[in-house]
Amino acid sequence: MSHRRSWYLLLLILLMLPVHAAAQVPAVDRVDPGNWWAGMNWDEVQLMMYGSHLDAVTAHAPHDGLQVTAVHSVPNDSYAFVDVQFAHDLTPGTYDIVVSSSAGADTIAYPVHERTVGADGPQGFGPDDVVYLLTPDRFANGDPSNDRVEGLRDEYDRSDPGMRHGGDLQGIIDRLDALEELGVTTLWLTPILENRGRNSYHGYAATDLYRVDPRFGTNDTYRRLVDEAHERGLKVIYDHVSNHIGIEHPWIGNLPRESWLNGSVEDHHSEKHYKMSVADPHADPEQKELLRTFWFVDAMPDLNQEDPFVANYLIQNMIWWVETTGLDGIREDTYPYADPEFLSEWAEALQAEYPNLSIVGEVWDTAPAYTAMYQSGSKLSTGVETHLPSVMDFALSTALRDYVQGNDGLAAVYQVLAQDFLYGDPMNVMTLVDNHDMPRVAYLAEGDTARVRQVLTMLFTLRGIPQMLYGTEIGMVGGASHVELRADYPGGFPGDTRDAFTRQGRTDAENARYDFVQSLLTLRAEHPALRRGRLVQYPPTYGEPVYTYRRVHGEEEFLIIINGSDTARDVGLEEELNHHSVPIELIDARTGQRMNQASDADADGDGAAPGQTHTIRVDGYGALVLQVVPADA
């Protein structure tokens, strides 16, 4: 062979190398979602395939019950998106999906399950419920073996308020009987997904949207928690985040598409909480865009839900969790910050699949008009139909918190409720005095237990769906910061010196608070008027800091009196009771004691019916829950 011919042959080989390097066999390492179900309303699923050499692939399903309708290649050859149509009458089983290129093929065995959610779907939650909010890491440790997990950053240190303390799903399962005994009906767990980042105990920076954090347990543990809660008549709310993920999510180092995030790790907007721009008629359009695209914090990259592949991923992910676990409702975190058109589509798809599923949006603002416009059916509008059944009532929360601190009077509570005409359904808003992001009401009260009792009385007897923070029933105080207010529940952890889940393990003061809360929850459960009754309220007058309101449901009626003064008062009730045409009595609903005090009312010549109560004494900073009954009852 001549020297020149040898060089030509070598050149030909070199020219051919890139072609052979590019034409490598595709390999699929993971598929999201990892399974689906037969007979779903959402029957065309977009499979996100992770692996290698997935650019320019094709796909087909040999079985007639599955049809690949589209394959979306993206510039990043680590991903491909494959749309698969599932026949409505498809039999549950495992079906092949073949992903091919000119160099070869990879076959995925894809599971299609029988549906796990019953014909009626999730139960949903509403005014009949009391929601108990807990942070799993700080509630109870039922499985110390998962406090440290190989492959995840070791953050376990109970001596450090900002580190993980070992609470988990098994710990919650172990305390379900105690929660049932307390009288709550619904559990809201802060997020339970894998979080690989620092300060990960809170759960709001997910690094795998299909996996329970191993330090909390497994997906099966979560399903067992839901099942065992249901056996006790308890419901479960899933805390969901569409807006952002954690900085250590594998996507961040290898984005599926350039448009997957709003901005980038190196270049993004921060601290642009321009919530009012949604309603502001004078707002620069740029402000609305910044609200949608800014990063909540630098460690939480903002997802771009305008990307149709991101939108599909999030919708399918939430359907997957509902069908996998049978959970009853969703709390949607940072609701105003995600793309509004996407959130509308997301909620509509979920409710088409699960008509009874409840969703409450975290719309954190103190103006009722702003919050109300996000609830479906409101007289106001964001310009997009939200399909959102419930929102969180931070306006009422602020009024109650101001009152307990002495910063404002009871008139502020009245004024917030007087704006209920703004809501699509004020009975279906979620009420609260504190949560996992707000200093506890007991901390704000600085030892004033009387005012704490008053605001809890209002929380459990006013309209709406009351939510209480774990530990409220024993008077947990916490501190000003997030890590302080999310304190460990005494007795939930190995080595604790006492168990506040039991009467014997609580102090006398804790038992008094527990009994008070339990009695209110029992009353609420026993009387529809305190859950679904029409609210009739009376404005506190100047110089008379007393707030009264009624809850009326059919023949059942309750009168609630809150004395905003530190001195006992004789409260006149002419306005509140003048609608009665028969003699009535007032009974303290907590003690059963008859409260009539104006037995000589007729002697005044005012025409009061015999036995009619016109005045009643209320202790300083006292709260009375009175049942109105016929005098001869």
Side-chain angles (χ1 to χ4, degrees):
M1 181 182 295
S2 70
H3 181 69
R4 177 174 294 182
R5 187 177 177 187
S6 297
W7 272 108
Y8 281 138
L9 182 60
L10 177 60
L11 180 61
L12 181 61
I13 293 172
L14 290 173
L15 289 172
M16 291 176 64
L17 279 176
V19 176
H20 289 299
Q24 297 189 47
V25 177
V28 178
D29 301 325
R30 170 171 169 164
V31 179
D32 287 346
N35 69 274
W36 206 246
W37 294 266
M40 298 287 284
N41 184 67
W42 189 281
D43 57 6
E44 184 169 7
V45 180
Q46 186 168 88
L47 303 179
M48 181 179 182
M49 297 186 177
Y50 305 66
S52 56
H53 315 300
L54 297 178
D55 55 325
V57 295
T58 61
H60 72 279
H63 192 278
D64 291 341
L66 276 68
Q67 180 184 359
V68 174
T69 58
V71 177
H72 308 275
S73 295
V74 293
N76 185 343
D77 69 357
S78 298
Y79 302 91
F81 296 86
V82 178
D83 298 348
V84 178
Q85 179 78 48
F86 295 83
H88 187 72
D89 59 352
L90 182 66
T91 302
T94 301
Y95 296 91
D96 287 345
I97 300 173
V98 182
V99 178
S100 307
S101 73
S102 60
D106 192 8
T107 300
I108 302 110
Y110 194 77
V112 178
H113 297 326
E114 184 176 355
R115 292 198 65 170
T116 53
V117 174
D120 295 332
Q123 300 179 55
F125 55 84
D128 289 328
D129 292 303
V130 175
V131 177
Y132 190 86
L133 164 60
L134 59 91
T135 301
D137 182 67
R138 305 303 165 88
F139 190 65
N141 187 347
D143 182 7
S145 70
N146 63 23
D147 293 347
R148 293 183 168 92
V149 174
E150 185 177 355
L152 296 178
R153 177 184 286 114
D154 181 11
E155 289 197 304
Y156 177 75
D157 184 355
R158 278 198 73 195
S159 68
D160 186 336
M163 299 290 274
R164 283 185 176 261
H165 292 182
D168 52 32
L169 298 178
Q170 185 59 52
I172 300 170
I173 292 171
D174 294 343
R175 300 305 189 281
L176 289 176
D177 288 342
L179 293 171
E180 181 186 12
E181 181 182 3
L182 174 62
V184 298
T185 69
T186 305
L187 310 182
W188 160 18
L189 283 58
T190 54
I192 45 82
L193 295 181
E194 178 196 277
N195 274 232
R196 290 179 171 270
R198 295 186 183 279
N199 301 319
S200 63
Y201 76 92
H202 56 71
Y204 287 98
T207 53
D208 189 331
L209 273 63
Y210 279 94
R211 185 192 190 199
V212 166
D213 194 296
R215 290 160 292 193
F216 290 151
T218 66
N219 290 13
D220 288 340
T221 316
Y222 185 53
R223 173 66 199 229
R224 185 158 54 85
L225 167 64
V226 175
D227 287 343
E228 296 207 17
H230 286 173
E231 289 178 6
R232 293 164 175 80
L234 301 173
K235 304 172 184 178
V236 178
I237 295 175
Y238 182 93
D239 201 337
H240 182 253
V241 187
S242 290
N243 184 64
H244 54 263
I245 54 175
I247 194 71
E248 296 197 28
H249 194 294
W251 288 338
I252 303 307
N254 188 24
L255 287 177
R257 286 160 54 89
E258 290 184 6
S259 56
W260 205 255
L261 302 178
N262 290 310
S264 65
V265 174
E266 300 78 19
D267 182 17
H268 59 266
H269 297 291
S270 300
E271 297 297 322
K272 303 296 183 184
H273 297 264
Y274 298 155
K275 289 182 296 197
M276 288 306 295
S277 64
V278 176
D280 181 6
H282 314 295
D284 185 326
E286 177 71 11
Q287 294 173 1
K288 292 184 181 181
E289 182 64 11
L290 289 172
L291 173 68
R292 187 187 68 80
T293 60
F294 86 103
W295 289 28
F296 200 74
V297 297
D298 289 342
M300 295 179 179
D302 200 70
L303 291 172
N304 176 23
Q305 300 90 20
E306 287 190 340
D307 183 305
F309 296 93
V310 174
N312 274 332
Y313 189 97
L314 293 172
I315 292 170
Q316 293 174 171
N317 175 254
M318 194 64 254
I319 293 174
W320 188 91
W321 277 108
V322 176
E323 192 69 28
T324 296
T325 64
L327 58 90
D328 301 288
I330 302 165
R331 179 262 189 181
E332 183 63 18
D333 182 69
T334 53
Y335 187 90
Y337 299 149
D339 181 70
E341 285 80 7
F342 158 76
L343 286 172
S344 173
E345 179 185 355
W346 173 82
E348 187 175 24
L350 285 164
Q351 290 165 346
E353 199 73 63
Y354 308 107
N356 296 324
L357 181 75
S358 296
I359 307 172
V360 58
E362 183 201 29
V363 182
W364 194 333
D365 198 88
T366 59
Y370 181 85
T371 304
M373 70 180 181
Y374 284 95
Q375 187 186 31
S376 184
S378 172
K379 295 179 174 62
L380 307 176
S381 174
T382 63
V384 176
E385 170 51 58
T386 63
H387 302 287
L388 187 63
S390 181
V391 289
M392 308 187 82
D393 193 348
F394 286 100
L396 180 59
S397 172
T398 299
L400 294 172
R401 290 166 68 82
D402 284 346
Y403 171 73
V404 86
Q405 295 176 89
N407 295 335
D408 210 341
L410 291 164
V413 177
Y414 165 83
Q415 289 166 2
V416 167
L417 293 164
Q419 299 174 66
D420 272 359
F421 65 91
L422 297 167
Y423 289 101
D425 182 4
M427 292 291 289
N428 208 35
V429 301
M430 185 172 286
T431 57
L432 64 151
V433 292
D434 52 21
N435 68 13
H436 60 300
D437 288 327
M438 310 162 74
R440 291 175 177 269
V441 66
Y443 174 81
L444 299 179
E446 297 181 337
D448 189 343
T449 58
R451 287 206 190 199
V452 172
R453 286 177 176 239
Q454 286 185 308
V455 297
L456 291 177
T457 298
M458 288 186 275
L459 176 67
F460 296 125
T461 61
L462 282 168
R463 58 90 174 116
I465 310 165
Q467 168 254 297
M468 62 182 289
L469 180 61
Y470 76 98
T472 298
E473 70 275 16
I474 58 171
M476 284 179 64
V477 176
S481 71
H482 283 182
V483 293
E484 291 172 308
L485 75 91
R486 302 167 187 164
D488 294 352
Y489 201 111
F493 298 82
D496 283 359
T497 57
R498 65 189 185 92
D499 185 359
F501 288 101
T502 67
R503 192 163 196 86
Q504 296 75 20
R506 294 190 286 265
T507 66
D508 289 344
E510 288 172 339
N511 274 322
R513 177 64 58 77
Y514 181 95
D515 292 344
F516 175 76
V517 171
Q518 188 185 50
S519 70
L520 285 173
L521 298 186
T522 300
L523 275 176
R524 200 171 188 281
E526 292 176 346
H527 297 285
L530 294 176
R531 307 191 307 270
R532 294 187 171 273
R534 177 169 54 93
L535 174 63
V536 182
Q537 64 169 350
Y538 301 86
T541 57
Y542 181 76
E544 186 71 18
V546 176
Y547 176 44
T548 59
Y549 55 93
R550 294 187 291 123
R551 299 297 303 276
V552 183
H553 186 271
E555 299 299 316
E556 189 176 58
E557 179 177 346
F558 281 80
L559 175 67
I560 296 89
I561 307 174
I562 310 294
N563 180 8
S565 167
D566 60 358
T567 59
R569 287 182 176 267
D570 291 323
V571 179
L573 301 175
E574 287 81 0
E575 287 185 85
E576 291 86 340
L577 300 175
N578 67 6
H579 60 287
H580 285 281
S581 59
V582 297
I584 56 95
E585 289 184 324
L586 300 178
I587 299 176
D588 187 323
R590 296 183 62 242
T591 67
Q593 177 184 358
R594 293 182 180 269
M595 303 296 290
N596 289 339
Q597 297 181 9
S599 58
D600 61 345
D602 246 1
D604 298 334
D606 60 3
Q612 182 77 50
T613 301
H614 278 187
T615 62
I616 194 165
R617 173 151 292 194
V618 186
D619 292 339
Y621 293 129
L624 289 177
V625 181
L626 306 172
Q627 188 170 13
V628 182
V629 299
D632 58 352

